[in-house]
Amino acid sequence: MIVQTIQLALAPVFVLVAIGNILNMMASRLSRVVDRTREMQVAFRESEGEAHDASVRELRMLARRTTLIGRAQLSMVLSAITIGITVVLIFSNQFLHAATEPAVAISFASAIAFLLGGLVLFLMETRVASEQLRVPLAYLELDRDL
């Protein structure tokens, strides 16, 4: 009986491990965004004219990325919490003989919904980052044969 319960709880636990890895990667990206934001705040104070406008544009994108990563992390943490609730409900069903199947299904479905929401927000952040990294055509000197 306990072996079956542990086997049932393994799938959500594997999802929990994956969420932890994704959160680790998001934290790393957020750290880089924070570092770049600090650099750009210095550039903002020291710039004028077109360079100042470029600093403002980049700071706006960095602020957007920070917001998206923060929301993605929140969604992933909510997913992890609901996975934990799912595991508790699985064990409750077995040991307290409570009919928790509907609650298990709802909590697991909620966890997957939060996970998907976090991944969509992460995708949005990577798209903003890609836009930020676009090399101006003038820098490519496409008229030159190299």
Side-chain angles (χ1 to χ4, degrees):
M1 186 98 78
I2 185 74
V3 172
Q4 291 173 332
T5 304
I6 291 172
Q7 287 173 340
L8 281 174
L10 276 180
V13 170
F14 282 124
V15 174
L16 193 58
V17 170
I19 290 169
N21 288 331
I22 295 168
L23 278 168
N24 186 32
M25 187 233 349
M26 286 181 181
S28 174
R29 288 183 69 87
L30 181 60
S31 175
R32 285 183 286 196
V33 170
V34 167
D35 290 344
R36 181 66 182 157
T37 301
R38 288 183 179 139
E39 291 172 12
M40 290 310 301
Q41 287 173 343
V42 171
F44 172 86
R45 287 189 294 272
E46 298 173 353
S47 62
E48 295 178 5
E50 193 174 315
H52 182 76
D53 292 345
S55 295
V56 171
R57 279 191 298 275
E58 186 165 351
L59 282 167
R60 286 178 184 174
M61 284 188 141
L62 290 166
R64 179 77 178 133
R65 287 181 65 192
T66 300
T67 300
L68 288 169
I69 293 173
R71 288 180 182 167
Q73 287 176 320
L74 173 62
S75 186
M76 298 303 281
V77 168
L78 290 173
S79 179
I81 289 169
T82 54
I83 288 289
I85 291 169
T86 300
V87 171
V88 168
L89 288 171
I90 289 170
F91 279 96
S92 297
N93 183 29
Q94 194 64 43
F95 294 109
L96 301 178
H97 304 292
T100 60
E101 286 90 359
V104 168
I106 290 168
S107 67
F108 190 72
S110 298
I112 297 302
F114 283 128
L115 174 65
L116 292 174
L119 291 173
V120 166
L121 288 163
F122 177 67
L123 176 63
M124 292 170 62
E125 187 274 332
T126 60
R127 300 302 304 151
V128 172
S130 294
E131 287 176 30
Q132 191 175 9
L133 294 174
R134 298 214 179 177
V135 177
L137 289 177
Y139 291 2
L140 298 178
E141 299 182 5
L142 294 174
D143 57 331
R144 291 181 53 205
D145 223 11
L146 300 177

